[in-house]
Amino acid sequence: MTHDAQDKTAGRLKSRPQFLAVRNGEKRKGKFFLLEVLDRARAEPEAKEDAPRVGFTVTKKQGNAVERNRMRRRLKEAVRLSARFAMQPGHDYVVVARRDVLTASFASLSAELNGRIANRQRHFPKKPQPSRAQLPETDNSTRPSDAGRPRKV
């Protein structure tokens, strides 16, 4: 494979720390999978020119090993044939499969994957929720009294 051909293909995420880093990125929910995206160019300016990298995750609750491997193969092929062209340089993508990947038509699976990769503006990262310590204290004096209720003995 020449260097020019290698630049146009998506790389692979292989180690656990790479997968865990992508978890901190934005999440794009789909019918057949969850797509997690991390913009490496923000953290590492030199990564802006790097080829996109992709990883696949199928949890054990999705089925036995044969079914999980079939799901992974279908997703890899959808990325290889069409979705890698929509991927942005300097980004990492993790596709977390759902069981519906097995029964979906390949055309709908590819279309869903392309749509989730290209559609960035609709799906934003979750805003951090304030912890209980940061929440304002509530005044319990405004609670209705239990005076009119019968008591259990």
Side-chain angles (χ1 to χ4, degrees):
M1 183 185 294
T2 65
H3 185 65
D4 294 334
Q6 189 177 10
D7 289 340
K8 295 180 182 178
T9 62
R12 292 288 310 275
L13 295 174
K14 295 181 181 178
S15 68
R16 180 168 169 77
Q18 291 174 333
F19 279 85
L20 293 177
V22 177
R23 266 196 179 164
N24 296 328
E26 65 179 288
K27 299 181 180 22
R28 303 175 188 174
K29 295 179 183 178
K31 182 177 179 182
F32 306 121
F33 52 84
L34 167 70
L35 181 68
E36 298 172 335
V37 182
L38 178 68
D39 185 0
R40 286 181 292 141
R42 288 186 181 181
E44 313 164 10
E46 64 275 1
K48 189 171 187 168
E49 300 300 322
D50 290 348
R53 298 185 301 186
V54 64
F56 302 91
T57 301
V58 184
T59 63
K60 283 189 174 182
K61 70 179 181 179
Q62 301 303 333
N64 62 22
V66 173
E67 293 169 329
R68 292 193 311 265
N69 287 334
R70 187 178 306 137
M71 286 186 251
R72 196 174 294 113
R73 283 193 309 266
R74 294 190 85 204
L75 288 169
K76 283 181 182 180
E77 189 66 6
V79 167
R80 186 184 74 82
L81 290 178
S82 60
R84 69 179 172 167
F85 301 110
M87 292 181 174
Q88 299 293 319
H91 284 68
D92 287 342
Y93 299 89
V94 172
V95 182
V96 183
R98 294 197 173 124
R99 186 142 180 96
D100 293 336
V101 168
L102 285 175
T103 57
S105 70
F106 191 75
S108 62
L109 182 63
S110 295
E112 178 82 17
L113 192 56
N114 278 333
R116 290 291 168 238
I117 289 173
N119 191 358
R120 289 182 280 162
Q121 62 273 16
R122 281 185 41 205
H123 304 278
F124 298 102
K126 289 184 179 179
K127 294 179 183 174
Q129 298 293 328
S131 66
R132 291 187 76 81
Q134 295 173 344
L135 292 175
E137 300 225 7
T138 57
D139 185 15
N140 290 336
S141 64
T142 59
R143 284 184 63 190
S145 67
D146 293 335
R149 295 185 188 178
R151 293 183 71 190
K152 291 183 181 178
V153 179

